Amino acid sequence: MADWLAAIILGLVEGLTEFIPVSSTGHLLLAKSALGLSNEPWDTFIVMIQLGAILAVVALYFGRLWKVLIGLPGKDPAARRFAITVLLAFFPSALIGLLFHDFIKTVLFNPTIVCVTLILGGFALIALERWAPPAREHDAMGFSLKTALGVGLFQCLSIIPGVSRSGATIAGGLLLGVDKRAAAEFSFFLAIPTMVGAFALDFWESRDFLTGDVVALIAIGFVVSFLSGLFVVKTMLDFVTRHGFAPFAWWRIVVGALGLALLQAGVLA
């Protein structure tokens, strides 16, 4: 397969899975393995194209985010509180990512780990659908500091590929008494500093791999992930409000089980 076509496929996988609780990194690693792509520079490609999907959130929420940005110098209490909650939620995973970046990429980027965590995460989502506590918080831009920190601690679980960053933060929100729509929306906002930080760190760590050909492939994946991410962010909240997270949970279980079967059969490596 031509590299540019692989870049399009992986960009599409990233954009369609980044904001739903099915693990974009897990799906990307399985897709990379199925396409027979080498670890480098494709592992770097997988991390860096995530910024394209994150820009979809910035584009769709630009008005609200801009209002927060211009409200900070004027000491708007609501803007300041929202910024603090996002940064507070971002800090734990940023620290874990800095400390364990090499371990994550060299050890945890493993198809077997991805498949197992996809299945376990699917059952966890099903359990949350049935037994999550009643919702007490309904505004993603008005979380308490305690709730924001709790969601940030749950996000640390997503250092394991297959767990899902959005899945971990949404699950954390549900357990902490956040309603489904607000949990998903706060996950969108938290993705912005998280993925920008991951992009910057991986850019620096992988700068020796970033030749002209690799940068061109990243650009292709970046654009495709942005466009497909726009579609998902536009439709995700309404879908979750109507159907909850159970469809994503069953998807995780099916993909994880299929991946394990293919690994056992030697189709994936």
Side-chain angles (χ1 to χ4, degrees):
M1 178 180 293
D3 284 349
W4 64 267
L5 183 55
I8 290 174
I9 292 172
L10 294 178
L12 189 61
V13 171
E14 161 59 25
L16 293 177
T17 59
E18 177 61 47
F19 302 109
I20 60 177
V22 299
S23 178
S24 61
T25 301
H27 277 69
L28 284 166
L29 289 174
L30 291 178
K32 178 178 78 74
S33 180
L35 294 172
L37 303 174
S38 60
N39 288 337
E40 287 293 355
W42 290 103
D43 282 346
T44 295
F45 173 94
I46 284 173
V47 174
M48 298 188 74
I49 65 169
Q50 292 176 346
L51 187 61
I54 299 310
L55 289 181
V57 174
V58 176
L60 290 173
Y61 284 92
F62 182 80
R64 292 168 67 177
L65 294 172
W66 180 251
K67 184 178 180 180
V68 170
L69 189 62
I70 62 175
L72 290 175
K75 298 183 179 179
D76 178 350
R80 184 169 62 249
R81 184 179 185 82
F82 172 65
I84 291 172
T85 59
V86 172
L87 291 175
L88 186 62
F90 163 67
F91 178 75
S93 61
L95 181 60
I96 295 295
L98 284 172
L99 292 175
F100 297 103
H101 177 262
D102 291 341
F103 175 78
I104 293 167
K105 288 194 69 175
T106 57
V107 177
L108 297 184
F109 272 38
N110 179 294
T112 301
I113 292 175
V114 168
C115 293
V116 171
T117 52
L118 280 172
I119 294 170
L120 294 177
F123 284 117
L125 277 178
I126 291 172
L128 279 172
E129 282 280 88
R130 293 175 60 90
W131 295 298
R136 301 184 305 274
E137 298 197 48
H138 307 275
D139 180 9
M141 301 188 79
F143 278 10
S144 67
L145 298 182
K146 180 181 178 180
T147 297
L149 179 59
V151 171
L153 291 173
F154 269 92
Q155 183 171 245
C156 293
L157 296 173
S158 66
I159 68 167
I160 305 172
V163 168
S164 169
R165 186 205 58 79
S166 59
T169 54
I170 288 170
L174 294 177
L175 283 172
L176 294 168
V178 176
D179 73 28
K180 293 175 183 177
R181 188 181 184 92
E185 197 167 36
F186 189 76
S187 179
F188 294 168
F189 295 135
L190 182 54
I192 298 172
T194 302
M195 292 296 99
V196 168
F199 176 92
L201 178 59
D202 214 78
F203 178 85
W204 178 254
E205 292 282 339
S206 305
R207 60 193 183 278
D208 293 337
F209 292 103
L210 298 179
T211 61
D213 290 343
V214 173
V215 170
L217 293 175
I218 291 172
I220 293 171
F222 187 97
V223 171
V224 174
S225 69
F226 171 76
L227 295 175
S228 52
L230 281 175
F231 168 77
V232 172
V233 174
K234 282 182 177 181
T235 58
M236 168 72 168
L237 295 179
D238 288 338
F239 183 90
V240 165
T241 301
R242 294 195 304 270
H243 304 289
F245 297 108
F248 303 119
W250 287 112
W251 174 263
R252 292 177 62 108
I253 293 168
V254 169
V255 171
L258 180 60
L260 286 177
L262 293 175
L263 284 168
Q264 186 68 26
V267 176
L268 296 180

